[in-house]
Amino acid sequence: MTAVGARPPARDGSIRRATLLTGLLVAAGTGLGFVRDLVMAHRFGASSGTDAFLVAWTIPETVSPLLIEDAMALLMVPVVTRLLREPDGVRPLVVSVLPRLAVALAAVALVLVLAAPLLVDVLAPGLEDPGPAARCVRLTALTVLAFGIAGFMSATLRAHHRFGPPASIYLAYNLGILTMIAAFAVPLGITSAALGVACGGLLMVAVQLPAFVRCLRGAGGRDAAVREPKGAARDTAASVTLAAAAPIVLYTLTRQSQVFVERFLGSGLAAGSISHLNYAQKVGQVPMVASLLLVTVTFPRLARASAGGDLDRVRRRVESDLVVVSAIVLYATAILIALAPQIVALLFQHGRFTEADGERTALVLRVYMLGVWGQAMAGVAARAFFARARPVWHPVCAMAAGLAVTGALGAALVGTGGTAALAAANAAGITVAAVALLLLVRRRVAPVSLRAAGGDIGALALAAGAARLAGLAATGRFP
């Protein structure tokens, strides 16, 4: 029985429309994010100031996958999908969980504000002047609360198959950052970007609030919003506990710790090194983000198939996602490796971003792209595990193994290879984790045919390699 106000399961046509809408809005947000990075490069270059901001940027970078894209979505979408079968829908869950979540996240944000200097020392002990980084940390710490509320709203809306408002949050976020830079870059310097991060987090909540309120009202009037959770709804709300969330949170943290390792080791290199890594990552992650749009839209369907025990549907969904995501990522990898110097120069080499900065960033980008397929595959495989809405630790173990590879290689090679060595360590670690996850999906989730999917992916890789060689030949540059 479908809950009053809940939308019926999406069909293939609605998936295509939702993917298109989500793609357009995320593309707009990503495009504005590029504008943000261009403005940052133009105004501040790659310097000790941008390094300080990027240390503080670690907070929203970590909080975003935890509370918006990965952990919150992987935990909440299956829960909300099950609640939509109940007469009261999701309102009991919201009444029970959201206030407690807000209080807990506000406390975490306060601790980060108070402990900002200590946090900077832990994240980047090699910074010569930690003061600017600590100031930026105090502002970016506010995203812990804002992102948590925004992520709760996004997961609820996606489970209702309302993808527009969640897909627009990064458009609003980057608009807030750009506005603050334009208004306060002269008096505040790099701190204006951190102020923009805090304001952008608030805009993430504001852009989803009207649709979120409509979802709550859709299942039967205002009085129901204050009813106590009961029956299955109360039991489901209770399942959103540390026991259920811990594997997802730890998976997300171990995945994000790849960046922690880079910045920790990179803080001891020349000023601007962390910035070169960041600019390369911003370009390199675009194909991964684009490819995972499909996975975001299909995740509620995967959750329903898992809830119904339909292993054949789960298998087909995972196999399809693996091939489609690989196609996007591998071809984009070929293009970005072949044209890295030209792309970096076109995007960033203006204002205070020098030609030397462009050369270093392009080198890092070429190396970094070797691990983007692994990042995308890890995203697909992890969703197959977490769609089952029960504690599962296999993704954490796989990601921890990959993190160990990244840390060991980075520490061993950074002294001689610099930022390129850190990018190579990142690529190796995430690829190890992705392969382990794919093998575990076949053994623990559904009988996914890795041979069939691997054949398609291998053919795509060969075609992408040929495209890469053609691109290098056309530009006259071979690495």
Side-chain angles (χ1 to χ4, degrees), residues 301-302 304-305 310-318:
R301 292 170 63 90
L302 184 62
R304 282 194 297 273
D310 191 342
L311 293 183
D312 186 59
R313 283 179 60 198
V314 172
R315 176 189 60 78
R316 287 186 280 111
R317 180 77 271 157
V318 173

Side-chain angles (χ1 to χ4, degrees), residues 25-35 37 170-171 174 282 286 289:
L25 289 172
V26 172
T30 302
L32 203 59
F34 263 123
V35 173
D37 293 331
Y170 291 110
L171 189 63
N174 288 315
K282 288 296 187 295
V286 170
V289 172

Side-chain angles (χ1 to χ4, degrees), residues 47-49 51-52 55 117-133 260-274 414:
S47 62
S48 59
D51 285 354
V55 172
L118 177 61
L119 183 62
V120 171
D121 288 340
V122 171
L123 292 175
L127 290 181
E128 292 184 2
D129 181 10
F260 296 169
V261 170
E262 282 188 356
R263 290 180 183 165
F264 182 87
L265 297 173
S267 67
L269 299 175
S273 295
I274 294 176
V414 66

Side-chain angles (χ1 to χ4, degrees), residues 7-30:
R7 295 191 175 188
R11 302 184 181 218
D12 290 341
S14 64
I15 285 183
R16 287 192 292 270
R17 289 192 297 272
T19 303
L20 177 61
L21 175 61
T22 302
L24 290 174
L25 289 172
V26 172
T30 302

